[in-house]
Amino acid sequence: MKVAVIGGGAAGFFAAIEAKRNHPQAAVVLFEKSRKLLSKVKISGGGRCNVTNGCTSIAELSRAYPRGSKQLKKAFRIFNTVHTMDWFESRGVALMTQPDNCVFPVSQDSQSIIDCFLKEARQLGVQIETGVGVAKLQPVGEGLKLHFLKGTHPPAFFDKVIVATGGSPKRQGLEWLEALGHQIEDPVPSLFTFNMPEEPVTELMGVVVEEVQASIQGTKLKSDGPLLITHWGMSGPAILKLSAFGARALSELGYVFKVQLNWANEQNAEQVSDDLRGIMAANPKKDLNNERPYALPKRLWSYLLAKAELPEDKKWGEIGKKGLHKLTHLLTNDVYQVRGKTTFKEEFVTCGGVSLQSIDFETMQSKACKNLYFAGEVLDIDGITGGYNFQAAWTTAYIAGQLN
């Protein structure tokens, strides 16, 4: 049996290794269009590689995927985060789970993951071809003929093919798969930060608020988590999560919208008002800047006081009903104008790709083309930040690699 794996990234390597492991007699060839292998693995997690997430609840894990949640819930019963950690550790890659549940190699170096894949592929006998791109797939009998770009290779026949080409920023990069009868969901960016060129809050760059609630005005989109103020706008898990779940809606808005922030992380405004009254009663003689509610960072609290037109040296006992109302409103409903986005740390993630309606998730085989399988981000699957996108790659690649 001859097996082709198209794509030398995370999903491609995992699928090729699993295909060869499950079918030792098969000739498995991995084709990568560029000269670089595992380039996204190299830069992920700031060069440390966020391998997976420490979450072991399948129900909770599947909720981290704006697209693909339902299908992955079933797939995670076959291969999940526990299996992933076992897979790497049994091959000599020691892993550590951070307090935020992100899992990294103990080495804190993505090269540990890359070396593991290269060693495993070499030991199993996976043939790796770089600088070889696939232009077209042609069904021939029970198998598929691969036609290569720029005549680098003559067309070649394979019994089974796994497509793991990663996310495509443009629909035209998926047309060769659409030509085979697959439904394509238009790709748009996911996991991006918010640009706020007109907002003075950017002067607070570097400030981190540990827990905020964020929402998009005029939509039902909401998220929570830590938030980072940057020199261009806002980032951090709360913003990235919002961008992932709102990927399509925000694209349709042309990335011009208003984000509402609840700095108090308390949904009930009346409760926030009561909390502030408590501070007023307990600290009537203290300056506003000396008693910060909700342990807000000092620079942010000073900024919010200025926005509420309250002097920092004003006493808590002197702010009155009007001042109380202004602070309550700002702490629960602070609004910022967003104009544009910035890709998060070179880690390009797309929403869109081959529609999940075109795939049998029990085998990852195409419903439109026999003996053609899919794995990774070429599918319309994406997760929030925290190791979830790699986990989706490992899970789908593991199932595809069974070649059932």
Side-chain angles (χ1 to χ4, degrees), residues 280-318:
M280 289 165 68
N283 307 278
K285 304 287 188 192
K286 270 194 178 179
D287 290 353
L288 288 174
N289 69 337
N290 286 335
E291 191 63 41
R292 288 172 279 133
Y294 308 106
L296 290 175
K298 190 169 187 348
R299 288 168 65 202
L300 175 63
W301 179 235
S302 295
Y303 171 83
L304 292 175
L305 288 175
K307 202 170 180 181
E309 300 175 325
L310 289 168
E312 290 189 38
D313 59 358
K314 196 176 186 76
K315 308 299 180 193
W316 268 100
E318 297 170 359

Side-chain angles (χ1 to χ4, degrees), residues 26 108 124 127 182:
Q108 297 288 292
L124 289 168
Q127 184 183 335
H182 300 101

Side-chain angles (χ1 to χ4, degrees), residues 53-62 81-82 85 97 101 103 388:
N53 192 275
C55 175
T56 55
S57 159
I58 289 174
E60 189 182 335
L61 187 62
S62 60
T81 56
V82 175
M85 289 188 262
T97 305
N101 253 4
V103 178
Y388 298 104

